[in-house]
Amino acid sequence: PMEVSLAEAMNKHKMVQNGLLTVSSALNTSVSLGGINAFWGSDQSALEWAPIIRNEELTEGYYLLPEGTVLLPFHSFAAMNIGHLFWDDLLPIYSLIDMFEMIPDMTTLMPLRYTLKHRERALWATCDLRDQTLRECKQQFKKVLPLIGVDPKIMRSTEDSILNITDNSEASKSRYICSSKGAAGMGVLNDHGFKTHGWNKGDYEYSYNAGRGSVFNRFRNFLMKNIGMDPIRLVSSEPPYIITFSPSNSRDPDRRIRYNKQTTALEKAFKDEISRGDVVVRSVQFNAIPIEEQVKKVAESAIIVGTCGGGASTNMFLPKGAGMILYYPDKPSGRGHNYPARLDWDYFNNAGYARVHWLPISEKDSEEDVDLFVKLVKNEIETISHH
C-alpha cells in the first residue's frame, strides 16, 4: 500500500514528468528476461517483464521450494549454438546470482526457460522458432546443465513444467509455488550487450567487457567446480606441454577447417621433444565427446588451436597462463558479414587468464604463415616454461 501511495504521488510530480526525478520501486521497474539480440530490433521489447505485485493476503496454501533454491526464470538467446548458450544464457545467469551474492555452497539453481506468449511466432533465431531449433536447444541444455549444478532431468520451460509432490498426494492442492529466493533480468549481462559477436565493424569500436575479467574468471571457476574439477590450477611450467588442435569445430564452411600443415610442421619442429614425451601434439574432435571430457582436455592443455565462434567456447577452461591461438575469417563471407570476424574477441581478450592470438584463415597454409605459426608456438612454450 505504501508503494502504491508513493507511485500515485510520483505520477503527479512535475519533476517526474520531466524525467528529472526517479525513485526505484517494484511498481516502476522492469527487466529483460533474456539476453538482447541486436538483430531483434523493436521486438526486443517482447522480453520486458515485471513481477505482478499482490497486495491482498493469500487465503489458500502454497508449495514452497526447498530452502536454498534460487528460482531463475529466463528466456534463452539461442541455446542451439553452444557459444550462445555459454555466453548469452549461462554467463548472464551466473552474473545475476553473483551480483546478488547467491552462490554459497548450499545454493541450488532452478532455471525455468520462459516461452513468449501473445506472439504469432517466437523471436528470430531462438529456441522456439522451429521444432528443429527446439530439439537442438534441449539437446544442448542437457549437455551443459551439469556445469551450473543442475540435473538436466529437472530443466523445464513455462510450457511444460511439472510439479512433483513429495507428500504422496495424487493431485496438487494449490495453484501457487513459492521460492524464498529468485533472480531475473539478464538483459545486457551477456558478453556483447547491444553489439553482435564480431560480425560487424561497429563491434570493434569499443570493448563492452573491459573490467569484467574477474567475473569471467569466477564464471569459469564456478562451472568447473560443479563437475568436480580444480579451477585454480595454473598451467604447468614443466613438461609435458600439450598442444591441442580443435579441427572442424564449426558448422560454418568458412570456419570448418583442418590443421594438417600446422600439425606436420610442429611434429617436425619438436621432433626431439615429442620423442622424449616433453611435447604432445594432438587433435580432439570436441563436439563428439561429453562436455565433462571437453573441459578436462582443455584444462590439461598448454596451448589450444582452433577457429573462433561457438566451437571455441570451451577454450574458456584453459588453465591460467596458457596460450590460445584462434583463426578467424578475415574476408567477407556474405550473408551480411562484410568485415573480418574475430568472433567473441571481446570475451577472450578481456578474460585475462590466457594469452590470445588471432591469425587470419585465408593465408593459414602459406609457407610464411605456417612458419610464423611454429615460431608463435615455440614462443608460447618458452613463456610457459618460465611461468
Side-chain angles (χ1 to χ4, degrees):
M2 291 301 299
E3 277 198 299
V4 173
S5 176
L6 173 63
E8 291 174 349
M10 289 273 295
N11 290 335
K12 298 175 183 178
H13 200 291
K14 63 180 180 180
M15 299 293 278
V16 174
Q17 296 170 1
N18 293 333
L20 300 176
L21 189 155
T22 59
V23 174
S24 179
S25 165
L27 298 178
N28 68 1
T29 300
S30 63
V31 298
S32 172
L33 275 179
I36 299 296
N37 189 329
F39 293 117
W40 289 338
S42 60
D43 280 344
Q44 294 172 3
S45 61
L47 295 181
E48 184 176 5
W49 176 85
I52 298 173
I53 308 299
R54 302 289 190 189
N55 291 316
E56 64 273 15
E57 183 178 352
L58 187 64
T59 58
E60 60 182 282
Y62 58 89
Y63 294 101
L64 183 64
L65 294 176
E67 184 67 25
T69 300
V70 179
L71 184 61
L72 295 161
F74 77 100
H75 180 272
S76 178
F77 185 97
M80 56 279 190
N81 177 288
I82 190 69
H84 288 311
L85 176 51
F86 270 122
W87 294 325
D88 295 307
D89 288 354
L90 300 191
L91 173 62
I93 285 174
Y94 173 80
S95 299
L96 265 179
I97 60 177
D98 181 53
M99 70 171 62
F100 290 119
E101 299 182 334
M102 293 180 174
I103 317 182
D105 292 337
M106 299 305 292
T107 293
T108 300
L109 305 185
M110 183 172 285
L112 181 66
R113 190 176 66 82
Y114 184 82
T115 57
L116 293 176
K117 299 178 176 62
H118 313 303
R119 288 180 59 86
E120 291 185 3
R121 68 195 309 246
L123 292 171
W124 174 78
T126 58
C127 291
D128 297 299
L129 188 62
R130 300 180 182 89
D131 291 342
Q132 177 62 26
T133 54
L134 181 57
R135 284 193 296 270
E136 291 176 359
C137 282
K138 289 182 176 180
Q139 190 174 30
Q140 294 286 31
F141 274 119
K142 183 178 180 180
K143 183 188 301 182
V144 306
L145 282 174
L147 291 172
I148 61 171
V150 173
D151 183 347
K153 293 194 295 292
I154 70 169
M155 173 67 178
R156 297 284 175 173
S157 74
T158 50
E159 291 295 307
D160 62 0
S161 297
I162 295 176
L163 173 63
N164 291 318
I165 304 171
T166 58
D167 65 357
N168 298 319
S169 301
E170 294 184 0
S172 62
K173 300 175 181 177
S174 174
R175 298 175 294 163
Y176 299 103
I177 302 173
C178 300
S179 178
S180 60
K181 293 180 180 179
M186 292 160 61
V188 290
L189 292 178
N190 55 21
D191 69 319
H192 57 84
F194 289 105
K195 302 193 299 178
T196 65
H197 285 267
W199 287 112
N200 303 309
K201 185 177 181 179
D203 294 339
Y204 303 91
E205 293 178 353
Y206 66 93
S207 175
Y208 181 73
N209 293 313
R212 295 183 76 191
S214 61
V215 175
F216 294 165
N217 191 40
R218 292 196 300 274
F219 172 55
R220 164 190 173 274
N221 294 351
F222 174 73
L223 300 180
M224 294 182 74
K225 286 180 179 178
N226 281 317
I227 57 172
M229 294 189 65
D230 177 14
I232 309 301
R233 188 180 72 84
L234 299 177
V235 64
S236 175
S237 60
E238 302 292 332
Y241 304 111
I242 300 176
I243 304 168
T244 301
F245 284 85
S246 175
S248 304
N249 67 341
S250 174
R251 289 186 290 188
D252 190 323
D254 295 329
R255 290 177 283 131
R256 191 167 60 242
I257 61 177
R258 304 193 69 83
Y259 303 96
N260 298 332
K261 288 192 175 183
Q262 288 72 22
T263 54
T264 299
L266 289 185
E267 288 167 354
K268 180 179 178 181
F270 292 102
K271 180 179 179 181
D272 293 338
E273 291 85 348
I274 291 173
S275 65
R276 294 195 304 266
D278 290 343
V279 171
V280 176
V281 179
R282 68 183 185 184
S283 292
V284 177
Q285 199 66 51
F286 282 96
N287 61 2
I289 59 177
I291 190 67
E292 294 85 353
E293 188 67 16
Q294 293 183 42
V295 176
K296 179 178 181 296
K297 289 190 178 297
V298 174
E300 65 190 16
S301 300
I303 302 170
I304 194 163
V305 183
T307 53
C308 61
S313 56
T314 49
N315 287 10
M316 77 171 86
F317 300 111
L318 277 171
K320 296 178 182 178
M324 185 190 314
I325 300 175
L326 292 173
Y327 283 90
Y328 70 95
D330 52 306
K331 295 185 177 180
S333 60
R335 306 188 310 277
H337 302 153
N338 55 9
Y339 197 75
R342 294 178 178 88
L343 301 178
D344 306 310
W345 71 276
D346 206 344
Y347 184 95
F348 285 126
N349 283 14
N350 286 291
Y353 49 81
R355 290 176 302 282
V356 187
H357 312 279
W358 299 86
L359 304 182
I361 289 177
S362 64
E363 301 294 328
K364 81 176 183 68
D365 288 336
S366 69
E367 183 177 347
E368 181 182 16
D369 278 37
V370 171
D371 181 62
L372 175 64
F373 172 80
V374 171
K375 286 182 169 62
L376 175 57
V377 172
K378 285 184 174 180
N379 184 68
E380 276 297 304
I381 290 180
E382 177 71 13
T383 301
I384 290 169
S385 69
H386 292 89
H387 198 274

